[in-house]
Amino acid sequence: MSFKIIDPPTIHESAKTYSHVQATKISPTCTLVTIAGQVGLDKKTGQIPSSVAEQIQVALQNLNECLKAVGATPANLINLTHYVVNLDPNDKSRSDLVVKFLDGHRPPGTLVGVSALAHPSLLYEVQATAIVHSG
């Protein structure tokens, strides 16, 4: 197996401890894509929006940029894990944003309530796995 590390130039820089994307060739025509947790850090502004809804939108845009870097779309996703700070199980507003992003695709996923993420301003993070077939 061979792999390629990708840090899309269209999203914020990754830290020294991780890369945004790893594409691992598992057969001549199949690539497993693992994507680090994407957050609501907007590369254009360098800011983290204050609302969870805005952070979700930016994080999903960043996830989409990671997918595009390997020639994939949300339809290639095979798993999602969502992390929400101070999760209110009764608040379903985030679901509408995710459903719109997935555009009818419904990969398995997990929603995890957490007390904090890597930066005090972060309220949401999404980690993903995808499969890309070629040829």
Side-chain angles (χ1 to χ4, degrees):
M1 278 190 286
S2 64
F3 67 90
K4 181 178 181 181
I5 299 296
I6 303 165
D7 282 317
T10 52
I11 63 175
H12 61 90
E13 285 188 42
S14 59
K16 292 179 182 181
T17 56
Y18 72 95
S19 60
H20 284 295
V21 181
Q22 179 171 318
T24 305
K25 196 78 142 160
I26 56 176
S27 80
T29 61
C30 187
T31 301
L32 175 67
V33 180
T34 50
I35 301 173
Q38 296 301 303
V39 297
L41 175 56
D42 188 329
K43 180 177 180 164
K44 294 174 196 152
T45 66
Q47 302 295 314
I48 298 170
S50 59
S51 80
V52 70
E54 290 173 304
Q55 286 192 30
I56 291 170
Q57 289 175 322
V58 174
L60 293 174
Q61 289 168 359
N62 290 341
L63 174 55
N64 197 51
E65 291 298 316
C66 290
L67 290 167
K68 287 194 312 191
V70 294
T73 70
N76 293 97
L77 290 166
I78 61 168
N79 192 285
L80 290 170
T81 304
H82 306 268
Y83 301 93
V84 179
V85 173
N86 300 321
L87 175 67
D88 175 0
N90 296 314
D91 179 6
K92 306 293 185 205
S93 61
R94 72 192 161 277
S95 297
D96 293 335
L97 297 167
V98 174
V99 167
K100 182 179 178 184
F101 171 76
L102 293 173
D103 193 29
H105 183 51
R106 295 177 48 216
T110 301
L111 175 63
V112 182
V114 297
S115 60
L117 292 167
H119 185 279
S121 297
L122 291 172
L123 303 172
Y124 174 82
E125 184 168 339
V126 60
Q127 184 176 8
T129 306
I131 295 279
V132 178
H133 294 278
S134 60

